[in-house]
Amino acid sequence: MEKNLVIDAYNTFFSSIHVAHSQGQKEFMVGSEIYDYWKHIVIQSWLARIQADEYKRVIIAYDNKDGYFRHDIYPAYKANRKKARQDSGIDFEEFLPILNDFIGELKEAFPMFHHLRVKKAEADDIAAILAKTFSANGELTRIITSDKDYIQLLQHPNIEIIEPIRKKKRTSLNPKKELKIKCVMGDKGDNIFAIKPRCGIKTAQKLVESGEIDELMLKFYESPESLTEENLQIARRMQLNTELIS
């Protein structure tokens, strides 16, 4: 079976800078030492996976720089990321220009790989389309990312997900169910709210496993006039969350 490797570039960049920053503080690194260590982590994590097997294609997927189509649907998408960065202890105003220069260096160092950036798309959108296309052609795709949003892809055959730092293979007994539960709960990291207040993991599981959410959405699409205003708002939120998370 032919194999493809897809790397979520920004996911590895940001997960690695947090590791480098934390380790750098422990070892009293300063300035450029931390960034050099960060580059080392990124390159080693990529090469370790690339050299572990023979791949038909190696694809580096990048988020679009000028916003995503999800912003058109929901302007508050990821609006909380700025505060999270401020609270991280990392100087992102200093880091981001270094990151942009590093991307150029990577493209020069690895011209044999496919570096993809698509207008309005995030890396997971690119990876999803490629992985499903390769899967349909009977090819295996390994995706390097720690982003849990990718787990939904495991409902398709011939797709694997490997975490870049921990090198752990992600698994799921029921990817479709996990996806639906996440849509009910929302995603705090992306500023996507739950479909109703006080809806944690237990409530979300109950709504999904009982079939209550499926019944609600069926009524929403077939006879919305039969719903109370409260249930109508819940269904609209579920519809939005599904568009944003799926």
Side-chain angles (χ1 to χ4, degrees), residues 125-213:
D125 301 312
I126 298 171
I129 291 172
L130 291 174
K132 286 186 278 189
T133 300
F134 297 151
S135 174
N137 292 334
E139 299 177 11
L140 173 71
T141 302
R142 289 196 180 106
I143 302 173
I144 308 303
T145 185
S146 59
D147 188 342
K148 294 180 180 179
D149 286 347
Y150 283 82
I151 290 176
Q152 60 188 281
L153 292 176
L154 296 179
Q155 63 187 280
H156 304 282
N158 305 324
I159 296 177
E160 297 177 358
I161 301 170
I162 312 289
E163 293 189 16
I165 303 300
R166 299 169 60 194
K167 299 178 177 61
K168 179 182 177 182
K169 185 176 178 180
R170 301 301 298 264
T171 60
S172 173
L173 295 175
N174 193 331
K176 290 183 179 180
K177 179 181 174 182
E178 282 196 39
L179 172 60
K180 192 172 293 185
I181 289 172
K182 186 167 186 178
C183 291
V184 171
M185 290 178 58
D187 187 338
K188 290 183 180 180
D190 289 344
N191 203 41
I192 301 172
F193 299 102
I195 63 172
K196 63 179 184 177
R198 298 182 297 279
C199 186
I201 181 66
K202 290 183 179 179
T203 301
Q205 286 176 333
K206 183 179 178 181
L207 289 171
V208 171
E209 291 172 358
S210 67
E212 185 176 341
I213 194 65

Side-chain angles (χ1 to χ4, degrees), residues 38-241:
W38 160 70
K39 291 178 182 180
H40 171 78
I41 294 172
V42 171
I43 292 173
Q44 287 303 308
S45 68
W46 286 16
L47 289 180
R49 185 50 52 186
I50 291 167
Q51 294 171 352
D53 213 332
E54 292 186 8
Y55 292 101
K56 181 179 180 180
R57 308 175 187 88
V58 176
I59 300 158
I60 317 297
Y62 299 87
D63 294 339
N64 180 55
K65 284 186 175 181
D66 302 317
Y68 318 126
F69 74 87
R70 290 176 180 84
H71 287 126
D72 298 334
I73 302 169
Y74 178 55
Y77 180 64
K78 292 189 175 180
N80 54 343
R81 290 293 177 93
K82 185 176 181 180
K83 184 178 186 306
R85 290 180 178 180
Q86 291 172 342
D87 295 341
S88 70
I90 298 169
D91 186 345
F92 275 89
E93 289 189 7
E94 180 180 60
F95 171 63
L96 291 177
I98 294 171
L99 169 59
N100 289 331
D101 289 342
F102 183 51
I103 291 173
E105 294 169 7
L106 288 170
K107 290 180 179 179
E108 289 184 11
F110 301 108
M112 70 291 291
F113 303 150
H114 303 277
H115 296 263
L116 297 184
R117 193 190 298 269
V118 177
K119 186 177 181 180
K120 293 280 189 177
E122 297 177 74
D124 57 352
D125 301 312
I126 298 171
I129 291 172
L130 291 174
K132 286 186 278 189
T133 300
F134 297 151
S135 174
N137 292 334
E139 299 177 11
L140 173 71
T141 302
R142 289 196 180 106
I143 302 173
I144 308 303
T145 185
S146 59
D147 188 342
K148 294 180 180 179
D149 286 347
Y150 283 82
I151 290 176
Q152 60 188 281
L153 292 176
L154 296 179
Q155 63 187 280
H156 304 282
N158 305 324
I159 296 177
E160 297 177 358
I161 301 170
I162 312 289
E163 293 189 16
I165 303 300
R166 299 169 60 194
K167 299 178 177 61
K168 179 182 177 182
K169 185 176 178 180
R170 301 301 298 264
T171 60
S172 173
L173 295 175
N174 193 331
K176 290 183 179 180
K177 179 181 174 182
E178 282 196 39
L179 172 60
K180 192 172 293 185
I181 289 172
K182 186 167 186 178
C183 291
V184 171
M185 290 178 58
D187 187 338
K188 290 183 180 180
D190 289 344
N191 203 41
I192 301 172
F193 299 102
I195 63 172
K196 63 179 184 177
R198 298 182 297 279
C199 186
I201 181 66
K202 290 183 179 179
T203 301
Q205 286 176 333
K206 183 179 178 181
L207 289 171
V208 171
E209 291 172 358
S210 67
E212 185 176 341
I213 194 65
D214 288 336
E215 183 179 346
L216 173 65
M217 295 310 294
L218 183 62
K219 289 181 179 178
F220 175 68
Y221 290 116
E222 293 188 350
S223 56
E225 70 282 354
S226 68
L227 298 176
T228 64
E229 183 60 31
E230 180 183 5
N231 282 339
L232 194 59
Q233 292 301 319
I234 290 172
R236 285 172 178 160
R237 188 76 218 190
M238 183 65 184
Q239 182 184 45
L240 174 62
N241 287 4

